[in-house]
Amino acid sequence: TGSPGDDATGSAPGWKEARGTPSEEIARHLAHERRITFAEKARRLPEDRTVVFFSDHRNPVWPADHEMEAPGGRYQATRDPSRLTMADIVVFHLPQVPSWHRLPKGEHQIWIGVTMEPDGYYPWQSDPNHVATLDLLLSYHAHADVRLNYSFPGLLAQLDALCAGQRRQGCV
């Protein structure tokens, strides 16, 4: 069986039949078909937040220790996968977590997908049914909510400022 809420086809809840290329479908979902906006979810976050960075936990190299700290940040950051269901924000390194869409997602949670890797090597990160489970996508793609490139500094405080600068409630 699929994850809770999946239909018999394995599609994410609320996902409609394809109407274009995968990239067009992802862009359409990110722009129009989310059940609740990112800003609405961000407003509901508690003042002191728990952020789980979810990647390959056998070899936890992402993010680096210094990237998990932000001066004045009101959050606790961890790489501990057992905290997934209790986290307010979950940040997935998409190339290392091909089945993130099958994990249990709380209604209160914000799920963020991050990738700088090519879809040809990691096709699951460009699957519209998988991307539909994310609240925010950070990547090099034109359809991403926040576009990244290899010069991006990667610090949580800078990410928070970037999101606020794009008229979004801070991400972190």
Side-chain angles (χ1 to χ4, degrees), residues 15 24-34 131-134:
W15 192 256
E24 290 168 341
E25 288 303 302
I26 291 169
R28 184 175 294 112
H29 171 73
L30 294 175
H32 305 291
E33 296 182 8
R34 289 179 169 147
V131 175
T133 63
L134 301 173

Side-chain angles (χ1 to χ4, degrees), residues 45-108:
L45 287 173
E47 200 168 310
D48 294 315
R49 301 158 186 163
T50 301
V51 180
V52 171
F53 287 93
F54 204 96
S55 63
D56 183 350
H57 296 286
R58 295 168 301 218
N59 183 23
V61 296
W62 179 88
D65 289 336
H66 71 277
E67 292 177 317
M68 293 180 60
E69 302 171 7
R74 298 208 51 183
Y75 60 86
Q76 177 186 14
T78 182
R79 290 187 202 98
D80 183 355
S82 70
R83 308 267 315 268
L84 175 71
T85 59
M86 296 174 282
D88 300 302
I89 301 169
V90 182
V91 182
F92 295 100
H93 188 234
L94 300 181
Q96 293 181 314
V97 190
S99 298
W100 82 84
H101 67 288
R102 295 191 179 276
L103 296 170
K105 181 179 183 182
E107 285 293 320
H108 71 285

Side-chain angles (χ1 to χ4, degrees), residues 123-137:
W124 53 86
Q125 70 184 19
S126 64
D127 182 321
N129 293 313
H130 291 80
V131 175
T133 63
L134 301 173
D135 297 297
L136 195 65
L137 177 63

